[in-house]
Amino acid sequence: MAKKILVVLLILLLAGCYNYNELNDLAIAVGLGIDKDENGYVVSLEIVNDNKDSTIYSVNGDTLDEAFSNLYSICPKKIFLSHLEVIIYGNNIDNIKDTLDFWARKKDIREDVLVFLSDKKAKDILKATTNSKTIKAFNIKDVATSTYTNLSATKLLTLNELLDTYLNPNKEIVIPIITLINKNLKIKNMAILKDTKVINYLDNTDSVNYNILTNNTKELIINTKNLSTNLNNVSTNIKVKDDLNVYINIKAKGTLIDVKKNLNLNNKEVIAELNNEIEKDIKDNINNTLNKITNSNSDIIGILDNYYKNKYKYYLNIKDDWYNNYFNKLNYHISVNVNLYDKGKSLKVIK
Amino acid sequence: MSNLKPLELFSLIIIISIASFVGIGFNVALNISGQDTYLAIIIAFLLGIPSILGFILIFNYEKELSLNFKLQKLFGEVLGTIINYILIIVAFIIGITYMYNLINFTLNHYLDNTPIFIIGLIYLLLIVYTNFKGLTTISRMTFILLIINFVLFMFPLFNLMPKTNIDNLKPLLTNNFNNILKSAFNIVLLTINNIFILLIIPQKRFKNTKKINKYIILAYIISIIILFFISFITLNILGPRLSLFYQDPEYIVLKQVNLFNFLNRIENIISMQWLNGLYISITMIIYYISNSIKKDNDKKIIPVLAGTIVFILSMVIFKNNTIFYNFIMNILPQIRLIAYILFIIICITILIKKKKNNDKSLF
């Protein structure tokens, strides 16, 4: 008898019918925009209808949680955030800190979702009609990935990385910016944050240099007076010394894309000169970017973190007064070593 | 009746040692030694050696008896029974902690809309049913689950290895060495020492016991290696800050597994290994409790009662996560210390008895 009761009980419990959610009853969210107006937060959610179509729902709320709850007043389905691809902060969000705990605590948001800042309203970015994919979140992710992979002019900031940098007292956040140009989505480089507030921006070259300095490049294109080259295998090693000297050693391999002057590319000395030309260009650009970062007084490269990891005793002495006394007194020593190992298909220059 | 294989004991040791690391041991160690936790595991390997030797010593003493009868033989009926009941209480507490951890993990990552009672009830039915089937079934099932767990462990390990960033472990030894030592001792208390519940199985239940000691030591070494890799990979990929930030960092890190560039979002399948481990551990704890209490092996009411008490108390005591985490951080290691001290006493008593009987063999 007991066995029969057990079997009946198991059938009831294990049938999988309890508390189930039909796929048709789920609102699968792929994109999320956050803005602020006089009524508090505005949450815009892109919900996938099918593989070609999506709907944007926008609601207000005093808090982020309230705005999320209010979504149910206009969205008839259960909101499912596990497939969320992008989170976009609008230009009117003055401090991203207030939202971080919400993302970190929400069980169904994955940690690899990409985070962007926009110079427009996030709602407008999500509602923009683009030329390519009609599901905007997928389009944003593809454009960002393409910009990062082929140009190294942005970074793919995941929620995990954002949280880790926020929790790290020795480093400041850099966040990619997304914008609309002629109805087309464009990744417009990056913003420098200090204490989670935007204080400055990195332009295209600065963004590439930032990626070089943080050892986060895929491929990048360098244009100098005499040539264009595609650099890959870029590796950067930063060593810090107790006397505030910072040694930056950059190594890269390059492929010639275009030569602008008639040169004998079979001559070793010519190649060495071209290598020098690229090295000087990178060095100058990196110096400019470092100046910009120093002027912003925001340690986005993580020099203090480098001291923490490699010169712990010295770190203990400087950490409390880092921005007041030390950060702007750092002496950067940059060495660049480029090897143009591939000249492309042709051995001669057509000029 | 000798029907168990040494390989099944080997499987039980590995599964039981690892089960309490995820969600309990790792969190405790991480809170004490932070990014030096992987070093604490290396030290725990050395600190655990006396525990494993003590296990072998007790396991080889009076091979035909289970632990409760060994205690009566060593300490007399009264004292032996008292020690036995203290160990039963410790086993109950471990069972309650594991039950909550199992239910909480399932609730957090698999079934967040399902009432906690339903989840617990299903596990309870499974655990009690397995107990009805007896030790032969438990140990054979453990062996099969170990193979499954091994596959579920190795694939993510090889996949996550290239994603590690050794910089996340720097600076080395920022923690006070005492903290690392304390963390190592806690790892021994909360993981390796769990295998005391296996002493309820008399050695005579195993056939071919010639190499059984080697199997035990090998299982111990493999368990420690697995613990090391879990902590090393988690700390390396998430870094110390995120590892401390998340409730289950070991689970979060599995979200980065991407096999052959098309198998991703498989963290729920991979983390099944921890559910398997906790399920086997609770099953063995219920087996330990019921066999330490009952005299007549045919009675099935004791596993039902023990399982139900463990389930209900896990619901009643741990009303929320905060109570649970405070308990595993502050109280559980102290309770486990009681069992640890008792086992030292048992080992010393066995050694004294052996000396009195002029028995020079250590095991």
Side-chain angles (χ1 to χ4, degrees):
Chain A
M1 188 61 191
K3 271 188 183 173
K4 283 177 189 170
I5 294 170
L6 193 70
V7 168
V8 172
L9 207 62
L10 283 175
I11 287 169
L12 289 173
L13 288 173
L14 299 177
C17 300
Y18 180 80
N19 224 353
Y20 71 101
N21 285 310
E22 282 284 355
L23 192 59
N24 288 341
D25 296 332
L26 294 178
I28 299 171
V30 286
L32 175 66
I34 302 161
D35 292 297
K36 239 181 176 180
D37 64 10
E38 63 280 3
N39 298 321
Y41 284 100
V42 182
V43 169
S44 308
L45 206 59
E46 185 182 19
I47 305 287
V48 179
N49 299 330
D50 53 45
N51 61 357
K52 283 182 180 169
D53 188 25
S54 65
T55 310
I56 312 286
Y57 293 99
S58 260
V59 283
N60 276 73
D62 283 343
T63 62
L64 207 51
D65 189 42
E66 192 183 308
F68 256 89
S69 308
N70 289 344
L71 276 167
Y72 283 104
S73 62
I74 53 168
C75 177
K77 297 179 178 181
K78 182 180 166 58
I79 293 162
F80 188 69
L81 293 169
S82 289
H83 288 275
L84 197 67
E85 298 279 353
V86 292
I87 296 173
I88 304 161
Y89 288 99
N91 57 352
N92 35 28
I93 296 284
D94 44 0
N95 195 338
I96 64 166
K97 185 179 149 187
D98 306 333
T99 61
L100 291 181
D101 190 69
F102 185 78
W103 307 135
R105 212 164 290 283
K106 217 149 176 57
K107 280 180 190 170
D108 46 356
I109 291 183
R110 288 180 70 84
E111 292 74 16
D112 55 0
V113 57
L114 296 180
V115 184
F116 297 92
L117 187 71
S118 173
D119 59 357
K120 298 195 165 30
K121 282 185 179 176
K123 186 177 166 182
D124 294 340
I125 297 282
L126 282 176
K127 282 192 172 173
T129 316
T130 54
N131 293 339
S132 46
K133 283 182 183 172
T134 46
I135 296 172
K136 283 86 183 177
F138 293 162
N139 196 21
I140 292 167
K141 191 177 179 183
D142 288 351
V143 170
T145 309
S146 164
T147 312
Y148 169 66
T149 314
N150 298 307
L151 303 170
S152 297
T154 189
K155 71 183 287 184
L156 301 176
L157 180 71
T158 61
L159 185 58
N160 239 357
E161 193 186 341
L162 177 65
L163 289 170
D164 189 39
T165 317
Y166 173 70
L167 293 169
N168 188 345
N170 307 323
K171 218 173 172 183
E172 295 294 341
I173 298 167
V174 169
I175 191 165
I177 303 172
I178 189 160
T179 190
L180 277 174
I181 294 176
N182 297 332
K183 290 186 179 179
N184 270 326
L185 289 167
K186 186 178 186 305
I187 300 295
K188 196 184 159 190
N189 315 123
M190 297 187 260
I192 301 174
L193 276 68
K194 189 166 184 187
D195 300 328
T196 61
K197 286 178 186 169
V198 177
I199 53 158
N200 206 345
Y201 295 92
L202 295 173
D203 63 18
N204 197 55
T205 316
D206 290 331
S207 300
V208 172
N209 293 333
Y210 166 80
N211 277 332
I212 292 175
L213 287 166
T214 51
N215 222 347
N216 186 33
T217 52
K218 285 276 181 190
E219 282 188 16
L220 56 107
I221 292 167
I222 302 280
N223 288 308
T224 63
K225 196 175 76 184
N226 291 321
L227 77 155
S228 291
T229 180
N230 185 353
L231 290 188
N232 48 45
N233 290 334
V234 182
S235 72
T236 307
N237 182 22
I238 300 181
K239 276 189 179 162
V240 289
K241 300 278 177 189
D242 286 356
D243 47 6
L244 295 179
N245 281 314
V246 178
Y247 294 88
I248 300 168
N249 186 16
I250 300 161
K251 282 182 184 171
K253 283 185 174 179
T255 306
L256 273 176
I257 303 174
D258 183 25
V259 183
K260 293 163 188 168
K261 187 171 136 181
N262 202 355
L263 295 169
N264 180 6
L265 295 180
N266 295 322
N267 188 335
K268 273 193 221 168
E269 284 166 10
V270 172
I271 295 293
E273 270 176 35
L274 291 178
N275 281 339
N276 288 339
E277 191 176 321
I278 301 164
E279 286 165 5
K280 189 177 176 305
D281 187 79
I282 294 173
K283 198 173 170 178
D284 291 346
N285 282 331
I286 295 249
N287 260 324
N288 290 339
T289 305
L290 286 170
N291 283 337
K292 193 171 192 174
I293 292 168
T294 308
N295 292 336
S296 305
N297 211 23
S298 178
D299 187 4
I300 52 171
I301 301 165
I303 301 291
L304 185 60
D305 199 45
N306 202 321
Y307 272 110
Y308 169 72
K309 285 173 176 166
N310 300 305
K311 298 274 174 193
Y312 187 63
K313 280 185 184 167
Y314 189 68
Y315 162 82
L316 294 174
N317 293 331
I318 60 172
K319 70 179 170 93
D320 294 330
D321 234 4
W322 176 242
Y323 285 115
N324 293 335
N325 265 343
Y326 301 102
F327 183 62
N328 49 13
K329 288 179 188 160
L330 289 169
N331 298 314
Y332 296 103
H333 306 271
I334 304 162
S335 74
V336 186
N337 186 355
V338 172
N339 175 18
L340 277 176
Y341 75 103
D342 188 358
K343 291 183 280 236
K345 276 197 295 186
S346 59
L347 294 170
K348 292 186 177 175
V349 180
I350 304 173
K351 283 290 167 219
Chain B
M1 187 172 59
S2 305
N3 55 1
L4 303 179
K5 292 173 192 159
L7 206 56
E8 288 162 1
L9 179 70
F10 169 86
S11 313
L12 277 165
I13 291 173
I14 294 179
I15 284 207
I16 291 173
S17 301
I18 296 165
S20 65
F21 188 66
V22 178
I24 299 177
F26 186 52
N27 286 21
V28 174
L30 206 58
N31 269 287
I32 300 170
S33 53
Q35 66 205 63
D36 295 323
T37 300
Y38 70 101
L39 289 175
I41 291 173
I42 296 170
I43 296 169
F45 171 71
L46 301 173
L47 291 180
I49 290 172
S51 295
I52 205 75
L53 294 179
F55 176 84
I56 295 171
L57 183 70
I58 303 170
F59 192 61
N60 284 286
Y61 176 73
E62 296 293 339
K63 295 176 181 179
E64 68 286 354
L65 297 178
S66 58
L67 182 66
N68 48 338
F69 294 112
K70 282 179 190 175
L71 290 174
Q72 286 181 8
K73 188 153 191 180
L74 276 171
F75 299 99
E77 193 142 337
V78 179
L79 194 59
T81 312
I82 292 170
I83 294 174
N84 186 32
Y85 275 94
I86 294 171
L87 290 175
I88 289 170
I89 293 167
V90 174
F92 255 117
I93 294 167
I94 299 169
I96 292 163
T97 329
Y98 283 12
M99 192 66 164
Y100 181 81
N101 197 25
L102 178 64
I103 296 169
N104 190 39
F105 191 85
T106 312
L107 190 76
N108 272 336
H109 303 300
Y110 293 79
L111 304 164
D112 60 347
N113 286 329
T114 310
I116 196 162
F117 180 77
I118 302 269
I119 298 171
L121 189 65
I122 292 169
Y123 280 130
L124 174 68
L125 290 172
L126 189 63
I127 287 161
V128 171
Y129 182 72
T130 320
N131 260 285
F132 284 175
K133 287 289 168 189
L135 191 60
T136 316
T137 308
I138 297 173
S139 53
R140 279 186 193 158
M141 199 174 57
T142 309
F143 178 63
I144 294 164
L145 286 178
L146 181 77
I147 295 167
I148 295 169
N149 283 6
F150 182 73
V151 174
L152 292 176
F153 178 76
M154 292 313 280
F155 271 106
L157 178 70
F158 285 117
N159 191 258
L160 291 174
M161 268 296 192
K163 295 176 184 170
T164 54
N165 177 10
I166 204 85
D167 251 17
N168 277 329
L169 300 181
K170 288 181 184 172
L172 294 173
L173 291 168
T174 43
N175 281 283
N176 186 332
F177 187 72
N178 284 345
N179 279 352
I180 298 174
L181 207 61
K182 190 180 165 192
S183 172
F185 192 59
N186 271 290
I187 291 167
V188 173
L189 285 182
L190 295 170
T191 58
I192 305 304
N193 267 34
N194 289 341
I195 58 170
F196 85 86
I197 54 173
L198 297 176
L199 290 170
I200 199 68
I201 313 169
Q203 207 195 86
K204 70 163 188 185
R205 290 285 310 260
F206 291 92
K207 50 187 176 187
N208 191 14
T209 53
K210 258 187 185 174
K211 289 181 180 173
I212 205 154
N213 292 348
K214 282 181 188 166
Y215 275 103
I216 296 169
I217 291 167
L218 191 64
Y220 169 67
I221 294 168
I222 290 173
S223 305
I224 289 284
I225 290 172
I226 292 171
L227 300 188
F228 175 79
F229 275 118
I230 292 173
S231 62
F232 186 76
I233 297 273
T234 308
L235 277 164
N236 252 297
I237 292 180
L238 286 186
R241 289 171 295 275
L242 285 180
S243 299
L244 278 162
F245 180 76
Y246 288 120
Q247 197 182 127
D248 296 307
E250 314 89 332
Y251 177 84
I252 301 288
V253 86
L254 291 181
K255 291 188 177 186
Q256 298 196 17
V257 173
N258 184 351
L259 294 176
F260 316 115
N261 273 337
F262 71 93
L263 273 176
N264 46 24
R265 296 181 176 239
I266 51 172
E267 62 274 7
N268 281 350
I269 295 169
I270 300 167
S271 60
M272 283 287 291
Q273 56 184 302
W274 302 325
L275 300 186
N276 293 342
L278 283 167
Y279 152 61
I280 291 290
S281 299
I282 302 170
T283 306
M284 266 319 290
I285 286 167
I286 301 298
Y287 180 85
Y288 174 87
I289 293 168
S290 31
N291 281 274
S292 296
I293 295 171
K294 71 183 179 188
K295 306 288 179 203
D296 181 0
N297 282 343
D298 289 328
K299 281 184 184 169
K300 288 182 175 175
I301 190 72
I302 297 176
V304 176
L305 273 177
T308 312
I309 292 169
V310 163
F311 168 52
I312 291 172
L313 285 181
S314 72
M315 298 287 98
V316 173
I317 296 172
F318 303 122
K319 286 199 168 62
N320 55 47
N321 276 359
T322 315
I323 298 173
F324 177 72
Y325 282 104
N326 276 328
F327 180 81
I328 62 164
M329 297 290 170
N330 306 317
I331 304 168
L332 189 63
Q334 290 174 25
I335 293 169
R336 305 301 295 277
L337 191 63
I338 298 170
Y340 188 72
I341 292 165
L342 281 176
F343 276 92
I344 293 172
I345 296 167
I346 296 167
C347 291
I348 293 168
T349 317
I350 291 173
L351 288 174
I352 292 168
K353 287 227 168 186
K354 280 195 169 190
K355 205 175 179 185
K356 270 187 187 170
N357 298 337
N358 279 332
D359 182 357
K360 285 181 183 171
S361 66
L362 202 55
F363 301 118

